[in-house]
Amino acid sequence: MKIIKQLKIVTIIAAIFLVTACELDGGESLNGASTSSISDDLSRGELPQALTGVLSDMRVGISTNTDVLSIVGREYYYFTSSDPRYEGDVVVGNLNNNTFYVTTPWGARYATIKNANLVLEGLDNTTSDLLSDAEISATRGAINTLKAHELLMLSNNQHDNGIRVDVTDSESLGDFVDRAGALAGIADLLASAATDLSAGGDAFPFGIPSGFNDLRKTDAVTGDVMAVMPSDMLEFNRALLARVEAYRGNYPAVLAALEASFFELDGDLRKGVYHTFSLSGADLPNPLFIALDQEANVRVAHSSFLADAEAGDGRLSKVVERKENRDASGLVGTHDVAIYSSLTDNVPIVRNEELILLYAEANMATNPMEAVAALDILRVAAGLPAYSGATTAAALEDELLYNRRYSLFAEGHRWIDMRRFGKLAELPNDRATDNVPAAIPVPANENQ
């Protein structure tokens, strides 16, 4: 049976809700709720848990997915005593389509999409007179924005091996589509979500988790920081669209999307939307944090990350030299990845630093000096001098990829970037047996 069809039997509560023993106003106890209680008639009282649940699901498998993308992108190696396939299969590029590093990201993303679809079905079927049309529209826009993100994560992995964009009916799944088809479908979904968010009024019928706090505005009269509004979620939606349109090479659309997003050329590079983690019993700790200088489980930077950096690049602080080198199967690491310092650190979904890079990319062909100005913001922030090289297309492409490499290190972008610019062959292999794959295979039990 296909993984996607199997997901229909998973209760939405077991998969997503981070609540214990709570009775909801206008709803039932979520501890025993089933998928039908959500999809048949979603109440106002169930909405907060519905959104929180989908956001929680988005974190499942994040470490496996990030590790695989970072390894094939030659950003770092992951040495773990529990599973040598990270330094074996994944580095060699011989990916087994029935193994956890393929099935976990696939299953986790489609589980999130399944639960999002249950919420959307519940919105269509709701009989609650406590939800206004604007609130339903705002909720639908938020859920579809998150769903689009999950589809993009899948497409990034599978590339032209394909994904199913339409999985609304688990008994009649949509056809597999290639990368171009997937990106078109994701852009359409973001557009539909944007329309709903624009019609969503001034408030959501629920609170938005703290990972969206950077989007909150300050009241011009009172000076109070307001709750996240549908218009703020729309800025997140447009940021995701800018990424999608860059992948499609549609640069005028990138600039238009950035204009409507939270992009700020001179703004805080860290401003963005994040996955959040905690050590509470019902929540999850950040799985990408590993203490420095461990032996059993380590993420070590690829040697080229240090060797290729310009002298004085402050972004090298994302790695820390080990007291002793760590090696496995002929692969050697001298520096630990040190992006996260605790089990409760946030993990970015999209942030302003990436948006500045997208702005530079979108301007390279038509306004190269504006592209240089944008890249210089990141260079200067990293302690480097302003760019003084050529402004030819090839030179600016190299400078863009350099800055994307160091600004977005270990965030899952490098492999995708090198692939979309036709440079996968430039990624290094440290052993004669190693290869960089162009795509992650579709799981074996997914009939195409």
Side-chain angles (χ1 to χ4, degrees), residues 231-411:
S231 58
D232 301 320
M233 183 68 72
L234 179 58
E235 292 184 357
F236 169 54
N237 174 292
R238 298 293 86 184
L240 292 180
L241 180 65
R243 184 190 290 174
V244 171
E245 295 296 1
Y247 290 172
R248 299 172 82 187
N250 188 354
Y251 292 127
V254 173
L255 294 174
L258 289 173
E259 183 68 24
S261 76
F262 60 86
F263 162 69
E264 293 180 88
L265 198 58
D266 296 315
D268 183 355
L269 301 184
R270 295 292 302 173
K271 179 180 179 179
V273 177
Y274 290 81
H275 296 296
T276 59
F277 301 88
S278 77
L279 299 180
S280 68
D283 203 2
L284 297 174
N286 181 342
L288 292 170
F289 167 72
I290 294 179
L292 300 178
D293 278 310
Q294 291 198 153
E295 287 298 320
N297 298 296
V298 298
R299 293 182 176 95
V300 292
H302 193 276
S303 59
S304 64
F305 181 73
L306 292 104
D308 295 346
E310 291 187 35
D313 194 327
R315 292 169 290 193
L316 286 178
S317 64
K318 296 178 181 182
V319 301
V320 174
E321 188 172 7
R322 291 178 57 83
K323 294 177 181 177
E324 294 184 2
N325 294 351
R326 177 69 159 81
D327 63 83
S329 306
L331 304 172
V332 179
T334 62
H335 288 67
D336 284 334
V337 175
I339 294 177
Y340 304 107
S341 59
S342 79
L343 290 168
T344 58
D345 282 358
N346 295 342
V347 173
I349 297 174
V350 61
R351 54 192 180 87
N352 192 44
E353 190 163 7
E354 180 191 350
L355 301 186
I356 293 172
L357 287 159
L358 291 174
Y359 180 77
E361 180 179 339
N363 276 291
M364 285 194 307
T366 58
N367 193 349
M369 297 313 298
E370 184 69 8
V372 169
L375 293 173
D376 278 346
I377 289 173
L378 305 184
R379 289 181 61 87
V380 171
L384 295 174
Y387 177 71
S388 59
T391 55
T392 62
L396 288 181
E397 183 178 289
D398 287 343
E399 179 64 16
L400 172 76
L401 288 172
Y402 174 85
N403 284 283
R404 286 188 64 89
R405 179 182 187 181
Y406 287 88
S407 285
L408 306 178
F409 174 69
E411 295 181 26

Side-chain angles (χ1 to χ4, degrees), residues 12-13 16-17 19 22-54 118-119 122-123 126-128 130-131 139 143 205-206:
I12 192 169
I13 306 312
I16 67 175
F17 292 141
V19 294
C22 63
E23 294 291 332
L24 298 177
D25 182 22
E28 61 179 287
S29 170
L30 290 181
N31 294 293
S34 66
T35 57
S36 60
S37 72
I38 300 297
S39 61
D40 288 352
D41 186 1
L42 185 64
S43 71
R44 185 185 189 90
E46 291 166 332
L47 276 176
Q49 286 76 19
L51 178 73
T52 300
V54 173
L118 289 170
V119 176
L123 285 174
T126 185
T127 59
S128 174
L130 299 177
L131 288 169
T139 304
I143 294 295
F206 42 74

Side-chain angles (χ1 to χ4, degrees), residues 42-117:
L42 185 64
S43 71
R44 185 185 189 90
E46 291 166 332
L47 276 176
Q49 286 76 19
L51 178 73
T52 300
V54 173
L55 285 166
S56 177
D57 267 8
M58 290 171 67
R59 305 172 304 172
V60 175
I62 191 173
S63 58
T64 300
N65 195 66
T66 303
D67 286 334
V68 170
L69 293 185
S70 298
I71 292 168
V72 297
R74 298 302 188 255
E75 295 186 276
Y76 65 69
Y77 291 134
Y78 183 33
F79 301 151
T80 170
S81 57
S82 63
D83 205 317
R85 285 173 290 187
Y86 280 114
E87 71 234 30
D89 296 6
V90 182
V91 181
V92 172
N94 182 25
L95 302 178
N96 186 309
N97 65 357
N98 197 32
T99 304
F100 75 94
Y101 48 70
V102 170
T103 59
T104 295
W106 178 275
R109 301 288 67 76
Y110 273 119
T112 306
I113 293 166
K114 174 63 179 178
N115 286 329
N117 284 337

Side-chain angles (χ1 to χ4, degrees), residues 1-2 4-9 114 117 121 164 166-174:
M1 181 182 291
K2 299 180 180 72
I4 299 172
K5 285 192 175 183
Q6 291 173 329
L7 295 175
K8 69 180 181 178
I9 66 173
K114 174 63 179 178
N117 284 337
E121 187 177 351
R164 288 186 173 95
D166 179 9
V167 293
T168 303
D169 183 354
S170 60
E171 296 300 327
S172 181
L173 299 173

